[in-house]
Amino acid sequence: MMKKILFLCISVLFLAFSPVSAQKSLPEVEQELADMANDILMHDSLSFKIKQNKVFAKLLIETLKRPESFDYPFDLLKTISIQEPKDQTFRLFTWHIVDKNFKEYYGEQYHYYFGLVQRKYEEKGQTEFIVIPLLEMQQIPQGVENMLLDNRNWLGALYYQPKYHDYLPSYTSKFYDRKLSASGSQKKVKKTFYVLLGWNGNDQKSNYKIVDIMSFDPEDKNRVIFGSDVFYFDQLPKYRALFKYSEYSPFSLNYSFAQVGSRKAKMIIYDHMGSPKRGDQKLEEIWDTGADGSYDGLYFYKKGGYFEWYRNVELAEKFISKENRKAQEEVRKNQQKIMEEREKILGEDESVQEQFVIMEKGSKKEFGRNQASKKEQKKMLKELEEKSRKEQEKLKDLGIKTKKNN
């Protein structure tokens, strides 16, 4: 009951729009938003977070209505997820409030999610910047995988950047328009769909991770649609993929590369959830389940415009595209430069025998200078080792095997 009351109080925040106030510069507004965003996530008092979020939401809405804000990066908003597609037709802002007594480690907790879509809408040569609030559902209903939702009936999630993507993944599909053409026959039109990966911290026992599809209603510029019947786990399609997992178990959901038939392909990879219990033993709690070490995947077929489920996929290294080869060559050049600097420093270092000669001559002053020089050399070598380590990590991320990261 308490959660329902709090939800109703929070939901009206997006419904009370205020006129645009005297405009400050975008950097000034960004700093204000950043300070409030940190309080919204980190402050101990729930009532303070709700009050601060009301001011934050209104200010952000006002700011995103300004045309010059569309290309502004908002880099200071570290606790706000900001995602955009390659076509740069919109930006998606999501954040949340955590309702939990932090003194009670195992106490109840709830998460309230907020979202805004900043849309660049063009029609008949005119450009309009629209801000569309996302209103979270009170609770995740049973069977939500088979429901078509919109911005007034939103599942609620923090969306994150998919691995191996600089932008939100998207695809274009043709469908029949609901409006009849002049001849009376239905007309096929193209529509772009965007793939979202999200997280929802459900309660103190469980979390959700989500693969959802986002699109815009062609008949209503202010309506955002969530879901599309393109996920095939069996013969009947689902509108989204929803994975519930234990608070105490890791669960990975991201893009990676796997073996599909005789080739390597990029697909959505996630942990397969299993249970230590066997036979007819009942799973009494969600934390009875966890990742079992195997992986499942969702592969997208462009021709049909759908995702198909693959069980027990074999992970593969990233294939080498032109962009990857260019990035790998840059990393290799950096590695070579580091090695050359290292050899130069080691070449200038004095041998152990030369050090003993200096000591035998009694030149303590000279020996002290050489020792100081040796410390500098060690410091430089340490810095080079750190550079090398970072470059090795880059190589590993790019799918390059070396002796060190193998």
Side-chain angles (χ1 to χ4, degrees), residues 4-66:
K4 184 176 181 179
I5 294 172
L6 286 172
F7 174 82
L8 292 174
C9 292
I10 292 171
S11 294
V12 297
L13 298 180
F14 281 154
L15 301 178
F17 294 106
S18 60
V20 178
S21 58
Q23 292 185 350
K24 297 180 181 179
S25 69
L26 287 177
E28 288 177 316
V29 175
E30 181 187 21
Q31 186 60 63
E32 289 184 32
L33 290 169
D35 293 339
M36 287 188 282
N38 188 63
D39 286 338
I40 290 167
L41 184 64
M42 306 301 296
H43 202 277
D44 291 337
S45 170
L46 178 62
S47 60
F48 178 81
K49 288 192 283 191
I50 293 174
K51 182 179 178 181
Q52 194 78 321
N53 190 61
K54 183 177 180 180
V55 180
F56 174 85
K58 286 185 177 181
L59 180 58
L60 183 56
I61 290 171
E62 291 175 1
T63 305
L64 296 182
K65 287 181 178 179
R66 295 165 59 174

Side-chain angles (χ1 to χ4, degrees), residues 163-203:
K163 193 175 180 182
Y164 301 125
H165 291 81
D166 295 325
Y167 301 95
L168 290 177
S170 64
Y171 64 93
T172 302
S173 182
K174 290 184 178 181
F175 69 101
Y176 285 102
D177 194 353
R178 283 176 287 181
K179 294 182 179 180
L180 296 176
S181 65
S183 63
S185 60
Q186 286 187 315
K187 182 182 178 181
K188 266 194 172 184
V189 296
K190 284 186 178 181
K191 185 177 180 181
T192 303
F193 298 83
Y194 304 93
V195 182
L196 305 177
L197 302 185
W199 170 85
N200 180 302
N202 185 42
D203 54 29

Side-chain angles (χ1 to χ4, degrees), residues 61-319:
I61 290 171
E62 291 175 1
T63 305
L64 296 182
K65 287 181 178 179
R66 295 165 59 174
E68 68 272 24
S69 73
F70 192 78
D71 297 317
Y72 192 79
F74 293 100
D75 291 331
L76 294 182
L77 301 185
K78 304 295 185 184
T79 61
I80 308 298
S81 170
I82 306 175
Q83 306 295 329
E84 66 177 333
K86 192 173 184 178
D87 60 22
Q88 297 183 323
T89 54
F90 71 90
R91 289 197 295 182
L92 178 59
F93 294 73
T94 54
W95 68 97
H96 75 317
I97 289 178
V98 182
D99 173 15
K100 176 178 172 61
N101 183 349
F102 291 98
K103 294 180 181 179
E104 299 178 3
Y105 187 79
Y106 293 104
E108 290 188 349
Q109 65 176 353
Y110 301 102
H111 297 254
Y112 308 99
Y113 293 88
F114 304 88
L116 293 172
V117 175
Q118 182 188 32
R119 186 181 186 189
K120 186 177 182 180
Y121 183 75
E122 297 183 5
E123 186 178 33
K124 297 179 180 179
Q126 298 294 322
T127 301
E128 183 181 359
F129 293 91
I130 305 170
V131 180
I132 308 170
L134 305 181
L135 303 180
E136 184 195 7
M137 306 165 76
Q138 290 188 26
Q139 60 184 9
I140 298 177
Q142 187 174 2
V144 72
E145 299 98 323
N146 301 310
M147 296 180 183
L148 191 67
L149 307 175
D150 63 17
N151 51 290
R152 298 187 66 86
N153 203 28
W154 176 49
L155 186 56
L158 291 179
Y159 299 116
Y160 54 90
Q161 186 71 44
K163 193 175 180 182
Y164 301 125
H165 291 81
D166 295 325
Y167 301 95
L168 290 177
S170 64
Y171 64 93
T172 302
S173 182
K174 290 184 178 181
F175 69 101
Y176 285 102
D177 194 353
R178 283 176 287 181
K179 294 182 179 180
L180 296 176
S181 65
S183 63
S185 60
Q186 286 187 315
K187 182 182 178 181
K188 266 194 172 184
V189 296
K190 284 186 178 181
K191 185 177 180 181
T192 303
F193 298 83
Y194 304 93
V195 182
L196 305 177
L197 302 185
W199 170 85
N200 180 302
N202 185 42
D203 54 29
Q204 72 272 20
K205 295 181 180 179
S206 62
N207 301 309
Y208 286 100
K209 281 195 176 177
I210 306 159
V211 186
D212 212 341
I213 302 298
M214 174 182 166
S215 61
F216 292 96
D217 189 335
E219 298 179 6
D220 184 353
K221 63 184 179 182
N222 292 295
R223 182 170 180 246
V224 182
I225 299 172
F226 292 98
S228 182
D229 53 350
V230 295
F231 295 95
Y232 282 85
F233 291 89
D234 48 39
Q235 292 184 349
L236 297 177
K238 296 182 181 296
Y239 278 82
R240 63 186 49 81
L242 188 69
F243 305 97
K244 187 176 183 181
Y245 63 100
S246 169
E247 174 74 17
Y248 304 102
S249 173
F251 181 82
S252 174
L253 172 71
N254 220 318
Y255 277 85
S256 189
F257 291 83
Q259 199 75 26
V260 178
S262 60
R263 63 190 181 90
K264 297 175 183 177
K266 185 192 295 184
M267 61 195 304
I268 298 174
I269 301 291
Y270 58 94
D271 288 303
H272 181 79
M273 303 300 286
S275 169
K277 295 188 176 183
R278 297 179 179 275
D280 59 354
Q281 288 181 292
K282 186 178 178 181
L283 295 176
E284 298 178 355
E285 299 288 353
I286 181 64
W287 50 60
D288 283 336
T289 65
D292 64 4
S294 63
Y295 299 95
D296 293 355
L298 290 168
Y299 179 71
F300 180 71
Y301 286 90
K302 292 182 181 180
K303 188 174 181 179
Y306 64 92
F307 287 90
E308 184 175 342
W309 175 53
Y310 278 79
R311 176 76 175 94
N312 285 327
V313 297
E314 181 183 350
L315 298 185
E317 289 185 23
K318 186 177 181 181
F319 62 79

